[in-house]
Structures are given as structure tokens and as C-alpha cells.
Amino acid sequence: MGRREQQVLEDYIVQHNLKITKQRRSVLEAFLGSEDHVSAEELYKLVTEKEPKIGLATVYRTLNLLTQSGLASELDFGDGQKRYEHKFMHSHHDHLICTECGKIVEFTHPMIEKLQEEVAIRQGFKLTSHKLDLFGLCAECS
Amino acid sequence: MGRREQQVLEDYIVQHNLKITKQRRSVLEAFLGSEDHVSAEELYKLVTEKEPKIGLATVYRTLNLLTQSGLASELDFGDGQKRYEHKFMHSHHDHLICTECGKIVEFTHPMIEKLQEEVAIRQGFKLTSHKLDLFGLCAECS
DNA sequence: CTACCTGCAAATTATTTGCCTTAAC
DNA sequence: GTTAAGGCAAATAATTTGCAGGTAG
């Protein structure tokens, strides 16, 4: 499990004069082991299996740390809570979401990306990121 | 100001055995008169200028009504609150958002839409909606 | 008159913060 | 030994809900 990610996190922690703790290790481990798109609450449930005394606030704090260190990115599927996915060794992609069963398919489409860039340039913008979510019904739910 | 939208709302209200009230009229009027992308709180401030005794909860309730009746759609730019835009007589579009000054440019790109449709079909999905937000720096903020 | 609607306050939900104790370095 | 981190409970912030009185149909 994620040697490399462990290293990224520890580098970030050292560079920022922070401390490496077993809680942070546990959260990272559970996060890497999870499916993508976990919420803080879900991750908390996963972590407590290994680390029963951990507090929910620590999970939130660690998720922010992971986001700042570049290991996680925040997602928002409009269900009222933030979700997180790991970014390291996991390239950019967009989401296709079934509104019935919640299934999520990840995809990338270079041409779409290229056209987005064009739109931005045409408006004088310098693009830093984007978010594309497609909503619909998957094969089973149609 | 928005005769047609008034009609859409009133039709919806009648069809659902609901009641037309001056608060609902005031919220709709303020909503149509507002710039796009208002939050509930912002709309509340606008409405109270004309209707000082209205409650915030009524604004929330009416925004939900407007969303259900098809006059408004919910947006989420990740700032922790829902925003709303009017949909009627205002065709679909995506957003290009300056992360520095908050400027929002609306755009549509038929080719992007077409490619999205292709992605969905390839995955066996039937597309119902999508959300594309581009984030970057506008000309002034670069 | 019979729902539905409103305003208000209290409740909820997701997340953050304060504080005091504990553990890294 | 400092100083940051953790746990817990209390604080926030956005939104929703319960209720008693008001009003549209």
C-alpha cells in the first residue's frame, strides 16, 4: 500500500514543520485503500476499523492536509457533502454519474479538454482547472 | 418584468394545488430582476427591499418551488452555498469562472455537448444533464 | 371554511474551532 | 522542552422543519 504516497505526505509534512502521527498514517492508508469518491464520514468509518479512538475532526483535518499536499482533490456531486479522490498516480478525469443507482464512471476525453482550452482563450482566460460532470441513467437503470 | 415566467409559475402552482401569494410573487420578481447566480441569502436581501416582512425560510421554500417548476436551476461553484439562475427563456450554458475576482462568463459549445453525448452513449448511459465549469484567471486578473 | 402558506424559532447537517491533554521531534 | 496534533464538545453556516396563526381559493 502506497509507499510513494506515504512519501509525498511525509515530505509535505516535513517541509511545513508539521508532525507525522499514527492518525495521519491511518487516515492516508484508509483513504488509499478506499474506493474513490469517499466522503469524510465514510472515511471516518473506514479509519475507525483500524484506529477506533480517532476523532471525526482529525479525519476532516487530515483530508484538508491531503488536499493541500496534492494527494487528494475535493469533489462535489451536489449531494450536500464534499467527497475526495486520490490524485497521486491517478491522472485527471471527469465523471459520468448515474442519478438512479449512484454508479460513477470516470472518463477522459482529450478533444473535450482541447475545446475547453479554446473557449477559455477566446474569453481571455488562463485556465487552471475544470470540472465536468455528466448526469444520466446507466444501462441497468434505464 | 417577466409576464411569461409569472405564468409558468402560476400554472405550476395551480396544477399542484398550491397557492399564489404575494411573497411568492415578490421572490419571483426579485429573482428575475437579479443578476444570475444569486444565493438564497442575496435574494433574501433583494426581496426584503420590496417586502420587508418576508422570512428567509420563505425565500428558500420559494427557490425550491421555482426549481421544481422548471424556472430556476441550482448551481454550485464550490463556495459552500447553492446559487440559482433563471432557466426560462435562457438556454443552457456552461460557466467560465475567474477564481480571483469571481467574474463569470457564460458560454455554450455545441461540439463539446456533442462529444459528451458520445461519451455517455459509449458507456451505455442515457444523458439527462451535465455541468461543466471552467476555472481560471480572467484577462484583468492574470 | 379548509388547506396551504408564512414567519419565527428550533432542528439538522456538514464542517470547523477552542481548549486542554498528549505525543512528535 | 517546545510546539503541533488529537479528542471532545461547542461553535458555525447553510438549509430545513415544526408549529400556531394568517390567508388564498
Side-chain angles (χ1 to χ4, degrees), chain A residues 86-129:
Chain A
H86 14 106
K87 246 170 89 174
F88 194 69
M89 299 281 91
H90 189 218
S91 56
H92 165 76
H93 55 262
D94 298 305
H95 298 102
L96 177 55
I97 301 140
C98 177
T99 50
E100 187 66 24
C101 68
K103 186 194 325 184
I104 297 172
V105 176
E106 299 180 349
F107 70 92
T108 44
H109 198 305
M111 189 60 181
I112 292 181
E113 310 268 314
K114 190 152 170 291
L115 293 173
Q116 288 174 5
E117 196 65 53
E118 282 178 23
V119 168
I121 289 170
R122 194 176 313 148
Q123 305 287 345
F125 275 60
K126 191 150 150 267
L127 215 51
T128 51
S129 69

Side-chain angles (χ1 to χ4, degrees), chain A residues 19 21 23-24 53-55 58 61:
Chain A
K19 291 172 182 176
T21 64
Q23 288 91 336
R24 286 176 175 176
K53 302 231 31 164
I54 203 168
T58 299
R61 284 187 277 231

